[in-house]
Every structure is written in structure tokens, then in C-alpha cells.
Amino acid sequence: MIKFLEINLNHPAHYFSVGPFSVSIGNLTIILAMMVIFSIALFAPFPDHEHSRRSAKKGDKK
Amino acid sequence: MTRKLSTVDPSKKWSGPVREYDLIKELVIAVVVVGLLALSLAALFSSPDQKALTMQSWSKEAPADFVQTAAGELAGTTTSASYGPPYNHNGDNQNIGPVNLAKLAGVRIPIVPADSFVIEPLKLQTSDSTQAAIATWSAASETQRSDWANAYADALTKDGKALTLADPTGKFGPTPTLVTALYGMATSGALDGALTTSDSTLPTNFTKPLLFLADSGTYFPDKAGAEHLGGDQWGVMNETGSWPGQSWLWLYSFWYQIEPFKSSGNADILVMSLMGLLSLGLILLPLLPIIPRIPYWIPVHRLIWRNWYRKSAEKV
């Protein structure tokens, strides 16, 4: 089952090169994924966003 | 001159709004999510399974390169023979200004390639011809050994493909017998065991086989180059196959790609010193005069806490 699902990465990587810079597609994917997660962390509201807004409106100080 | 960095007095107790925050709940969720993610990705992508390079694989896949390198070890012309500390006194190694850190530390892992990689392993062999060749080699002067081994190494390199060469005039001395015996030992796998267990009974010390492999003319560099693991290929960041590697080491790797580091014989120590300085800057970040002003120019924190700042503005 695991073998059936497995994606084979055991072959030479592809590289993206510009001037002296060279990065494998695997590394580039991870870097872009980290940037996406960072953006989500910046822009996504906190899970208790609505609760905190209501609390603040009521002047709820704990 | 004083700088007004914040209107909040840190010595006074916070009197603004507070909110409940369940740290344990967040920790449990984070551990479960990351654990499931790790298991799923491991099941989907598996892990790199590149076979280790050994003396056996080298001697079988690139036999001519192996015998040429073995002859070079006897001649003392390989990289490890002239490396310097911590292995021997035959090189200067790297300097930072007038300071040579390797020399200061001294020769801590003494290795004489001709003895460590060739003669000592061959002493484990029972062949009479091999033992006779070792005896002849050991009885000869340094100059004589060097003449024999250099002549044989040059002849093998000139031929390019030969694994052994005839010696009707005797100018190679016992070198062909020693190199051929070592080649036989390598193809059988015995050399890997002999090199890793020469200093201890457990095969845990790979210093000798790694140094020997690194002396290879084409086999080792070609394997590394094919996997983009060379120093001039951002190799520190890369993994074998198509798996992502150590992308967080990009800054270490970056310096090796540009001058003056790229062509410097002292690149390693220069890069490590530069990274040490930059790391010191990171540690001293709060003390640097310009750094505390950055949040005022790039207010990312206002984006994260935008509700708080919006409500504060509404109140005003």
C-alpha cells in the first residue's frame, strides 16, 4: 500500500539557475511553501478573532 | 541624545485588554498536526536511499582511477598526502591573516597515506608475493620508494585505462605488486573493513576511507558533481536525488559562489569567520543602534496585531 502511494524522488533533481544562484526544485518548493505559510500567518485572523472583538467591545478585562 | 522608542512604560503593570490563551491546547494541536504531516510526507516521498560509496564500489566502477590513486598514495602526490594538519606536516592548510588555526591545533590524526591506505591493509594479506613486495618497499630508502611509485603513477596516468603495467626494466620496483594486491583487496570488500577497523575493533571511524576516496581523480568528484553536491554547485544546500536539502544553509553556501571566496585557497576559514561575524551581529542585534528603528519603518507587527491597533485608533 505504501509502495503504491510512494512518489519516487530517487532520481537526479532539476535545478533553477540565475547567475551565480542555483536552487533545486525541491528546495525552491520548500522555500515558497514557507513564504506562503508566513503570509497566511500574517493575514489570517486569529481563531478566536470574533470572540476577542466581542470581549473588547464589552470592555472585558481579565 | 535620547530616543523615544515607545510610549509604553515597561516598568508599569499592563492595564489594557487581555485575552485568554491556552498554550497547552496549542502545543497539543501543533504536535499532532506536525506529526501527521511528517508521517504522511514520509509515506508519500520516502527518504533518500543513495548507496554509500565504498572502496569496493570505486574499484569495481572505476578500476583505472582506483589503481592510479593507489599509486599516487605510494608516491605521496595525492591531496591527503600534502594536506597538512590535522593529518600530517606536509602542507600549510588555511590561514586567516597571520593565524593558521590548523597548525595551532597540530597533527591530531596522524595519517601517512602510503602506509595508512596501502601498506598497513596489505599486511593483513597472506600472499607471499604481497609480503615480499612489502618487505622490499619497507627496506628501500625514501628516495627509492618515491622514484618507483612516481614512475608507476605517471605510467598508469599516461596509459589512462591500464590496471597494471609490465616492468621489464624494474623501474617500478614492488609498486605494481602492491597496487594490484590492493586493487584485489578493494574489489573483494576487504579494504573497506581494513581501513575502518585499523584504529579500533568497531568499524565506526571512516576517516581513512573518506580521505582515500577524496583523493580519487574522477570517481568521487564525478559522483558528487552528478548529484550537485560540489562546493561550486551550492552543494551544502542539496540532497541526493530530488529531495529538498538543507536550504537554511544558503548563506554559508552563497559565499563559495562569489569572489574573492570562490577562488581563494582559504575559502573555508574565510567563510566560517565571516559567518561568525554575522552571527555575532545577530546576537548583538538589540544593541545595534539602527535595528530598534526597523519596526517603525517596516511595521509587520501592526499587520499581525491589526485589530488591536484599529481599536486603539477608534478609541482615540
Side-chain angles (χ1 to χ4, degrees):
Chain A
M1 183 64 180
I2 296 294
K3 277 282 176 192
F4 174 73
L5 288 172
E6 190 177 305
I7 296 168
N8 182 22
L9 293 181
N10 200 30
H11 53 77
H14 296 287
Y15 287 82
F16 178 72
S17 301
V18 178
F21 295 93
S22 174
V23 62
S24 71
I25 299 301
N27 274 344
L28 189 62
T29 305
I30 294 293
I31 291 167
L32 291 176
M34 287 194 296
M35 290 169 80
V36 168
I37 291 170
F38 183 66
S39 302
I40 291 171
L42 284 183
F43 293 105
F46 286 101
D48 58 347
H49 175 71
E50 290 305 317
H51 169 74
S52 115
R53 181 182 286 177
R54 281 197 301 274
S55 300
K57 272 186 179 174
K58 288 175 185 175
D60 180 16
K61 295 179 183 179
K62 292 181 183 176
Chain B
M1 184 180 142
T2 56
R3 293 176 299 148
K4 191 180 179 184
L5 291 177
S6 172
T7 54
V8 177
D9 183 353
S11 65
K12 289 184 179 172
K13 189 181 177 184
W14 175 251
S15 59
V18 294
R19 49 190 284 169
E20 287 181 352
Y21 187 78
D22 192 338
L23 191 61
I24 300 298
K25 185 179 167 188
E26 177 161 318
L27 178 72
V28 170
I29 291 171
V31 168
V32 169
V33 169
V34 171
L36 286 175
L37 198 61
L39 285 173
S40 309
L41 291 175
L44 270 179
F45 296 108
S46 187
S47 60
D49 58 357
Q50 192 83 8
K51 285 183 180 172
L53 301 183
T54 62
M55 296 292 128
Q56 189 176 32
S57 67
W58 178 17
S59 59
K60 283 186 172 177
E61 289 177 36
D65 184 47
F66 179 85
V67 295
Q68 286 168 24
T69 308
E73 301 294 8
L74 286 171
T77 54
T78 56
T79 304
S80 59
S82 56
Y83 192 87
Y87 306 119
N88 50 55
H89 296 286
N90 302 336
D92 288 336
N93 223 313
Q94 300 190 15
N95 297 289
I96 176 113
V99 182
N100 188 310
L101 293 176
K103 275 190 175 173
L104 283 176
V107 177
R108 308 293 296 270
I109 311 166
I111 286 176
V112 179
D115 292 338
S116 305
F117 303 157
V118 185
I119 302 299
E120 294 299 330
L122 285 177
K123 283 181 179 173
L124 302 172
Q125 299 290 291
T126 54
S127 159
D128 290 340
S129 61
T130 303
Q131 294 309 316
I134 291 173
T136 308
W137 176 267
S138 302
S141 67
E142 286 268 340
T143 312
Q144 180 66 77
R145 289 183 205 168
S146 176
D147 289 346
W148 284 335
N150 272 304
Y152 192 55
D154 290 346
L156 281 174
T157 307
K158 190 177 175 185
D159 185 282
K161 292 179 180 174
L163 303 185
T164 186
L165 292 170
D167 184 23
T169 58
K171 62 179 177 179
F172 303 146
T175 316
T177 308
L178 295 171
V179 171
T180 302
L182 194 77
Y183 171 66
M185 215 177 156
T187 52
S188 72
L191 184 58
D192 289 291
L195 291 175
T196 50
T197 56
S198 59
D199 298 321
S200 69
T201 49
L202 293 174
T204 52
N205 187 344
F206 287 84
T207 305
K208 287 178 182 175
L210 283 176
L211 281 175
F212 195 174
L213 256 177
D215 286 336
S216 147
T218 54
Y219 179 69
F220 197 54
D222 287 354
K223 289 277 186 189
E227 293 286 348
H228 269 71
L229 300 176
D232 57 351
Q233 298 172 302
W234 297 75
V236 175
M237 276 176 67
N238 296 330
E239 181 55 85
T240 57
S242 291
W243 281 271
Q246 303 67 238
S247 51
W248 58 89
L249 293 177
W250 71 273
L251 193 52
Y252 276 92
S253 210
F254 169 70
W255 304 115
Y256 287 93
Q257 319 307 319
I258 59 167
E259 299 295 353
F261 307 98
K262 190 176 178 180
S263 59
S264 172
N266 295 316
D268 295 326
I269 198 162
L270 289 175
V271 168
M272 291 307 289
S273 302
L274 179 61
M275 289 305 293
L277 270 176
L278 291 175
S279 300
L280 195 65
L282 192 66
I283 292 166
L284 300 175
L285 211 60
L287 304 178
L288 299 179
I290 206 163
I291 299 299
R293 302 299 309 173
I294 291 178
Y296 289 86
W297 303 327
I298 311 170
V300 176
H301 62 288
R302 283 181 169 266
L303 195 59
I304 299 169
W305 299 104
R306 53 191 176 279
N307 289 334
W308 158 254
Y309 284 103
R310 192 174 58 225
K311 276 176 272 180
S312 299
E314 283 169 5
K315 281 179 186 172
V316 173

